[in-house]
Amino acid sequence: MTTRRSFLRWSTLAVSLSPVRSLFALPKAAAVKPIVVSTWDSGLAVNAVAWKVLKPGGYALDAVEESAKSIEKEISCCVGLGGNPDREGHVTLDACIMNEKYDCGSVAGLERILHPISVARKVMETTPHVMLIGEGAQQFAVANGFKLEEDKLSADAEKSYKEWLKKSEYKPLMNIEQQQGKTPKRAAGGPFAPNQFEDGSFNHDTMGTVAMDAKGRLSGSCTTSGMAFKMRGRIGDSPIIGAGLYVDGEVGAATSSGQGEEVIRLGGTHLVVEFMRNGATPMEACKKAVERLVKINPKKAKDFQVGFIAINLQGEVGAYSVNKGFSYAVTKADDGGKVFMAESYYK
Ligand code: ASP
């Protein structure tokens, strides 16, 4: 039986042994940093832009803003002003940004502004708010020196929109690799080739990026033109903190792409980060979040795509999607970056 005296004796001994024990403690593996991870194949080129900031010791927040800007100015079906419009023919942009101190900013339904991610950062840094939408967001952007661009569709978007108007059916085709045996154009295209199928049916994408800089500071950005031919006024997950993006400086960061309604319902990226807080690796956390998504959508999940990517403070990376076909790019240690295909719930 442990008497009070024997307990004291043992505890004194334990305290006196602790320096000896720490001599034998396994050293903690050094964190992999800087590191940047982005959604989809196009994430590789985006990471390269972030790397230019991260490599010389720059701030992760600057890195994820610059990387988002690099794709916003490309003509792509799914991000920036070159994106597909809503069903009334307007391109409306959603974006958000967050740093390691829970500072965050967001814009939704923003029209005719080239860099929604920079407007989101301005919201974060200069207003008492987190999120501005529509006309108000545009007014704020213009008042802060952002140029009001011409109200015009890109040639690709105009073509897709005209094609879509023939039937006017809202039937987004998700990035599911085996989707009815159709070949995504991107398979043959460059890094920013539109994710549209050869037969003209459309697809969607969001550029989500999470990064940790050399000082261990985390940040993330998320930018998109949203679901093609969505209802006027529809907002997806991408500008919603905790849905399309979440960063917790004490734990890790996560972002998503795919059917925004499903990610919002789940509180997706906040959930991924909370799983990590409770001990899951980024890979386990993304998988658990996808499993939860499938559980609450037992009938529909086979027909939509959602993918999560995440990193933690150790620089470990995770990704997981509902269906096959979700790719992501990882760049670290000046390795030039690599694209991976995420594991998925449905094989
Ligand atoms: N998540 C985006 C949205 O729902 C679309 C996408 O990632 O493709 O607007």
Side-chain angles (χ1 to χ4, degrees):
M1 198 174 90
T2 312
T3 62
R4 187 168 175 272
R5 191 178 305 155
S6 68
F7 170 76
L8 283 177
R9 206 172 40 234
W10 278 111
S11 54
T12 314
L13 186 64
V15 169
S16 62
L17 279 179
S18 58
V20 181
R21 207 185 301 130
S22 68
L23 275 182
F24 297 102
L26 284 175
K28 229 177 156 196
V32 179
K33 57 186 181 186
I35 181 166
V36 54
V37 186
S38 294
T39 50
W40 307 110
D41 306 17
S42 42
L44 197 59
V46 160
N47 284 358
V49 175
W51 195 253
K52 284 193 191 139
V53 178
L54 293 171
K55 192 182 169 192
Y59 185 17
L61 187 71
D62 295 326
V64 299
E65 182 188 359
E66 285 310 314
S67 60
K69 280 170 74 180
S70 71
I71 190 159
E72 283 172 347
K73 64 175 198 279
E74 297 291 330
I75 299 295
S76 129
C77 66
C78 320
V79 178
L81 289 175
N84 281 322
D86 63 18
R87 60 184 65 177
E88 293 182 24
H90 304 279
V91 179
T92 64
L93 305 178
D94 297 340
C96 71
I97 193 160
M98 188 163 187
N99 70 10
E100 82 285 6
K101 293 178 279 192
Y102 313 97
D103 299 322
C104 47
S106 156
V107 286
L110 179 62
E111 294 179 36
R112 298 174 59 191
I113 299 289
L114 187 61
H115 290 306
I117 198 66
S118 300
V119 185
R121 184 165 176 178
K122 262 266 167 336
V123 172
M124 164 177 138
E125 288 176 339
T126 68
T127 79
H129 308 302
V130 165
M131 189 168 193
L132 294 180
I133 62 161
E135 218 182 295
Q138 193 188 66
Q139 267 171 24
F140 170 79
V142 171
N144 280 280
F146 290 85
K147 185 177 160 223
L148 197 58
E149 304 289 339
E150 221 183 314
D151 193 4
K152 196 171 165 273
L153 294 182
S154 69
D156 278 347
E158 192 164 353
K159 203 167 140 225
S160 309
Y161 183 50
K162 278 193 180 141
E163 201 45 47
W164 180 79
L165 280 173
K166 289 183 186 159
K167 287 197 189 149
S168 302
E169 277 176 354
Y170 184 66
K171 269 195 191 163
L173 267 180
M174 299 299 158
N175 279 300
I176 298 173
E177 217 174 39
Q178 72 282 21
Q179 187 100 41
Q180 296 150 17
K182 290 179 182 177
T183 324
K185 266 191 193 169
R186 72 187 172 122
F192 298 116
N195 271 351
Q196 201 159 11
F197 290 91
E198 299 291 359
D199 66 358
S201 57
F202 64 90
N203 209 321
H204 63 95
D205 267 2
T206 288
M207 182 49 63
T209 299
V210 285
M212 178 164 63
D213 63 27
K215 291 189 179 146
R217 294 171 299 190
L218 293 163
S219 289
S221 65
C222 190
T223 184
T224 189
S225 50
M227 303 295 280
F229 318 128
K230 58 196 174 188
M231 283 174 71
R232 180 116 183 101
R234 179 266 187 192
I235 303 295
D237 59 322
S238 306
I240 297 181
I241 300 296
L245 175 72
Y246 199 70
V247 179
D248 186 322
E250 294 177 352
V251 177
T255 186
S256 64
S257 184
Q259 184 135 329
E261 283 72 10
E262 305 306 333
V263 182
I264 295 172
R265 240 194 281 282
L266 188 71
T269 54
H270 187 259
L271 186 65
V272 172
V273 171
E274 285 306 293
F275 282 141
M276 291 196 283
R277 182 192 299 287
N278 292 326
T281 63
M283 197 60 89
E284 289 161 356
C286 291
K287 184 166 186 253
K288 277 157 82 88
V290 164
E291 284 167 356
R292 179 82 65 85
L293 201 55
V294 174
K295 191 173 168 216
I296 62 176
N297 279 295
K299 294 208 176 100
K300 287 194 305 176
K302 263 205 168 103
D303 300 318
F304 67 71
Q305 180 63 303
V306 166
F308 293 109
I309 58 172
I311 57 172
N312 65 10
L313 285 171
Q314 250 44 64
E316 293 172 313
V317 177
Y320 208 81
S321 58
V322 175
N323 282 288
K324 258 171 89 177
F326 175 56
S327 59
Y328 63 103
V330 181
T331 303
K332 57 181 162 43
D334 238 352
D335 62 0
K338 206 168 164 207
V339 172
F340 299 88
M341 191 52 78
E343 277 191 47
S344 52
Y345 184 91
Y346 293 110
K347 310 288 174 201

